[in-house]
Amino acid sequence: MRDPTSQPFSEKSLGSLLIVDRPDTELTIDLGAQIATNATTGLVANELIDAGASLTSKIRVQGVVWPSVPYFFQNPFAHNISDMLVRVDFDFHIETPWYCSDADGTISVYLFLFLDGERHLQGAVDGTWFSYNGGGPFCTGHITAGLNAAMPNVVSQVGPILQQALSKAAGVPFSNLHYLPGTGVSTPGVFIQNASDDVALGLNLA
């Protein structure tokens, strides 16, 4: 709902309800709309074809707390416990020879967004992860090797996409950043959105 006066940014929890005061000067970036474009989807589909797989879902973009990232225990102090990362993930299918079961899984790319020393927005690929079911009894090694080999190319493709997604905030100093479920809509009203498919970034001017 709209407050007649612009309030400073604040967050507070009331049970399962999170209340966020968002200043009128907030810059909002709908990361889902910026990342999960038709062009990106086509790029992902082509990369999977090259790896012997096919895309079986849309691209999902969501916020996750650092301890929930699957490689957290490899280096728990890489981020603060309260930090959030952005997970970009999608599902894939791999057909195998007749003597193995087909494989279905998910590839996730984790992005870390932050304000640098000059309070400018920066973002980078933090890590990748994949998991799948199937491929037995003889093909799991081949599948894993193929996915591992494809990951560096996936990371190299994500960098330019991320920079384009954040371009409207380039060079602007901000006091803080925060995540908003869904599109980050600021129009007064009630909106039901899927935070597993989309997340927005809120930025307040310094």
Side-chain angles (χ1 to χ4, degrees):
M1 54 188 175
R2 177 73 67 186
D3 193 292
T5 60
S6 182
Q7 302 293 310
F9 173 80
S10 67
E11 289 180 324
K12 60 183 176 182
S13 296
L14 295 177
S16 60
L17 182 66
L18 175 65
I19 298 176
V20 182
D21 286 318
R22 301 166 61 189
D24 292 343
T25 56
E26 176 190 80
L27 173 65
T28 305
I29 301 175
D30 181 357
L31 295 174
Q34 293 295 320
I35 294 175
T37 63
N38 289 336
T40 303
T41 301
L43 182 64
V44 168
N46 288 334
E47 291 292 337
L48 286 174
I49 289 172
D50 290 343
S54 58
L55 180 65
T56 58
S57 75
K58 62 182 179 181
I59 297 175
R60 301 176 292 264
V61 182
Q62 60 182 281
V64 293
V65 292
W66 168 229
S68 297
V69 174
Y71 54 81
F72 167 77
F73 288 106
Q74 295 177 7
N75 187 5
F77 302 108
H79 302 289
N80 296 321
I81 292 296
S82 59
D83 281 346
M84 290 191 68
L85 277 68
V86 175
R87 177 169 62 205
V88 180
D89 64 5
F90 46 87
D91 301 331
F92 64 87
H93 176 80
I94 296 177
E95 294 186 0
T96 60
W98 64 269
Y99 47 82
C100 294
S101 61
D102 286 358
D104 292 284
T106 300
I107 292 174
S108 301
V109 179
Y110 291 87
L111 312 175
F112 183 57
L113 309 183
F114 60 95
L115 300 179
D116 64 18
E118 297 181 343
R119 312 301 294 174
H120 294 160
L121 178 63
Q122 304 291 344
V125 177
D126 189 76
T128 60
W129 194 263
F130 64 81
S131 61
Y132 64 89
N133 295 310
F138 306 115
C139 298
T140 55
H142 178 73
I143 291 172
T144 299
L147 292 172
N148 279 327
M151 287 301 103
N153 198 35
V154 170
V155 170
S156 69
Q157 299 286 352
V158 169
I161 295 170
L162 176 59
Q163 296 309 312
Q164 177 60 37
L166 305 181
S167 61
K168 74 174 183 177
V172 180
F174 298 100
S175 60
N176 74 296
L177 63 81
H178 57 280
Y179 292 96
L180 300 161
T183 63
V185 60
S186 58
T187 305
V190 176
F191 302 89
I192 298 175
Q193 300 185 26
N194 188 346
S196 295
D197 289 342
D198 198 359
V199 67
L201 183 67
L203 297 153
N204 296 311
L205 296 174

